[in-house]
Amino acid sequence: MQQTIKNSQTPEFDTNKTQTTPILYREPKPSEQGSCPKKKLMANLFDFTVFIAVAIVSWLVITVFLTAVLGG
């Protein structure tokens, strides 16, 4: 019985095959480009209103806290 010992974990391949395709670049399809501008605008407006609401609530909490601690 004659066995050879391999020290490497690298697999052996039969041939060298390239990983590239003949198409290097293509324009994206409309479905791949993202959502419509109306949806983006509505999402941005929702985020802005949430930001404003959090800012006002934070300002009120800080003001009430400082008034209670320092007196007003």
Side-chain angles (χ1 to χ4, degrees), residues 31-70:
S31 61
E32 296 172 342
Q33 289 181 355
S35 61
C36 67
K38 185 177 179 182
K39 287 183 180 180
K40 287 183 182 180
L41 178 66
M42 293 304 292
N44 286 339
L45 285 175
F46 177 74
D47 289 343
F48 182 69
T49 54
V50 168
F51 169 75
I52 292 298
V54 168
I56 290 172
V57 168
S58 298
W59 175 74
L60 286 172
V61 168
I62 292 170
T63 303
V64 168
F65 175 74
L66 289 177
T67 304
V69 171
L70 300 176

Side-chain angles (χ1 to χ4, degrees), residues 1-5:
M1 230 175 157
Q2 195 172 24
Q3 295 179 346
T4 58
I5 299 173

